[in-house]
Amino acid sequence: MMLVTRPDYDPGTKYLSSWSQILIEEARAKGIEVLDLPGTKATKSEFEGRLKKKQPSLVVLNGHGNEDCVTGQEGKPLVESKVNAEILSSSVTYAVSCQSAARLGREVGGYLNTAYIGYEKKFSILHSHGYFKRPSEDPLAKPFMDFSNHIVRSLLKGHTVEESVRRAKEVGETHLRSLETSLSDPDIQMAAAFLSRDISCLVAHGDTVKCIIY
Amino acid sequence: MNDSKTDQQKLSDEEIRSLVVARLSVLSPDTYVSIGSDGSFSRDELIARVQAGDEIGKEIEDIQLEWLRSWKARAAAV
């Protein structure tokens, strides 16, 4: 079972929400039950309630954050270091959020049979004006989407946390090599710089040989 | 001696800033960079942040320099 939080109150979260919509459809097509918390449902009470009741093996957190927390709708905290981080114990969590792997992720990864995948620095993407209503079709954002979504795809295929991170980085590097062939396009050059940063700060903590599907 | 070193460092920072601004200035006006909870920034907003030398501007400089160094390393390895 997979739980996904999808706040969607600004351009950044709208893009992440749209990317996760694709993953939700793919998971359901594989027969995997999905607990979806979109928009105004991405609140702490909904999140904690569903997590405690259903205990999903995979938790995907989309949203803004910092070293100590990941937020939901309107930037309100869903999970915080030293507050309710234990709620993620026994699950594999992937946080598409800034910096949360630096402290929150380490704390969560310290629990038994638990893993946390996230970013140690700011997670950034490039996007184009005119795609706000259809973010998953934005060609400038596609390399970022493919890289990030590949972590979940790989976990859903039964790969370990460690292997999923490695495979996602390979997908990102493949995009980088492709972007490097367009040296004359400044937008693509800029996308490559930000994608390179995202790839380099993706890490996993805890039980990295854990799988969500056996 | 110290003044000379400070001037050299200051000049170096200015050169970096100019390089990053030059790279940003050729972006499409329809391109935006979403930097976490700091927001989404247009080309002109990014340039203003770099020129102001604020936290976002420094983050952009850092990412650009990191990329240029890695690109140089990749090119040398080929």
Side-chain angles (χ1 to χ4, degrees):
Chain A
M1 186 185 298
M2 173 167 90
L3 184 151
V4 186
T5 64
R6 296 192 297 126
D8 59 359
Y9 59 97
D10 67 3
T13 52
K14 279 183 193 298
Y15 268 70
L16 300 186
S17 175
S18 172
W19 296 355
S20 272
Q21 180 65 50
I22 295 169
L23 295 171
I24 288 168
E25 288 165 14
E26 289 176 7
R28 284 180 172 150
K30 286 173 176 266
I32 296 166
E33 187 179 347
V34 178
L35 305 170
D36 186 18
L37 298 179
T40 55
K41 286 190 175 177
T43 63
K44 189 173 184 177
S45 60
E46 288 272 359
F47 172 69
E48 287 189 337
R50 301 288 182 94
L51 207 53
K52 284 176 184 167
K53 188 176 177 185
K54 298 284 191 175
Q55 297 182 325
S57 54
L58 175 61
V59 177
V60 180
L61 302 172
N62 295 292
H64 297 309
N66 56 43
E67 292 187 349
D68 294 309
C69 87
V70 178
T71 66
Q73 191 71 352
E74 306 301 342
K76 293 177 181 168
L78 291 182
V79 57
E80 294 175 85
S81 174
K82 313 290 184 198
V83 177
N84 65 341
E86 192 175 2
I87 200 165
L88 295 172
S89 65
S90 301
S91 296
V92 171
T93 297
Y94 172 43
V96 196
S97 181
C98 291
Q99 300 169 300
S100 72
R103 269 205 294 268
L104 173 63
R106 286 183 193 279
E107 183 181 335
V108 172
Y111 293 111
L112 191 67
N113 192 32
T114 304
Y116 190 100
I117 305 167
Y119 298 88
E120 289 189 314
K121 294 184 180 176
K122 291 188 176 181
F123 180 78
S124 305
I125 66 168
L126 260 71
H127 59 92
S128 312
H129 185 72
Y131 284 90
F132 288 141
K133 289 185 178 175
R134 45 194 176 106
S136 59
E137 296 174 27
D138 185 341
L140 199 53
K142 188 177 186 302
F144 298 88
M145 175 178 74
D146 289 348
F147 159 64
S148 174
N149 275 4
H150 200 80
I151 290 164
V152 177
R153 285 196 178 110
S154 187
L155 288 167
L156 292 177
K157 282 182 181 171
H159 296 132
T160 65
V161 166
E162 188 177 65
E163 178 72 2
S164 298
V165 168
R166 189 184 67 76
R167 285 170 181 257
K169 289 190 179 217
E170 279 180 3
V171 167
E173 292 287 343
T174 301
H175 272 294
L176 275 184
R177 285 194 290 276
S178 172
L179 294 171
E180 281 172 357
T181 63
S182 301
L183 288 174
S184 59
D185 186 329
D187 289 341
I188 289 179
Q189 275 290 294
M190 194 59 61
F194 281 90
L195 178 61
S196 177
R197 165 60 73 91
D198 290 343
I199 293 169
S200 71
C201 65
L202 175 70
V203 296
H205 296 301
D207 184 0
T208 58
V209 294
K210 186 176 170 66
C211 299
I212 62 154
I213 292 171
Y214 294 95
Chain B
M1 185 79 173
N2 283 342
D3 285 344
S4 170
K5 195 172 180 181
T6 303
D7 287 347
Q8 194 175 350
Q9 182 64 43
K10 190 177 176 184
L11 181 64
S12 176
D13 287 349
E14 286 173 359
E15 284 174 345
I16 290 167
R17 197 162 292 167
S18 297
L19 172 68
V20 173
V21 167
R23 284 174 60 80
L24 292 170
S25 65
V26 292
L27 290 179
S28 158
D30 288 336
T31 293
Y32 286 76
V33 180
S34 172
I35 305 174
S37 57
D38 296 315
S40 279
F41 301 91
S42 67
R43 174 192 67 190
D44 294 342
E45 288 168 336
L46 290 169
I47 290 171
R49 294 298 190 121
V50 172
Q51 287 175 332
D54 65 12
E55 190 186 340
I56 296 295
K58 288 194 169 78
E59 175 87 9
I60 294 162
E61 283 182 16
D62 189 38
I63 290 169
Q64 293 302 305
L65 287 178
E66 190 176 284
W67 166 246
L68 290 170
R69 285 193 196 103
S70 73
W71 191 82
K72 186 182 169 187
R74 284 165 197 256
V78 173

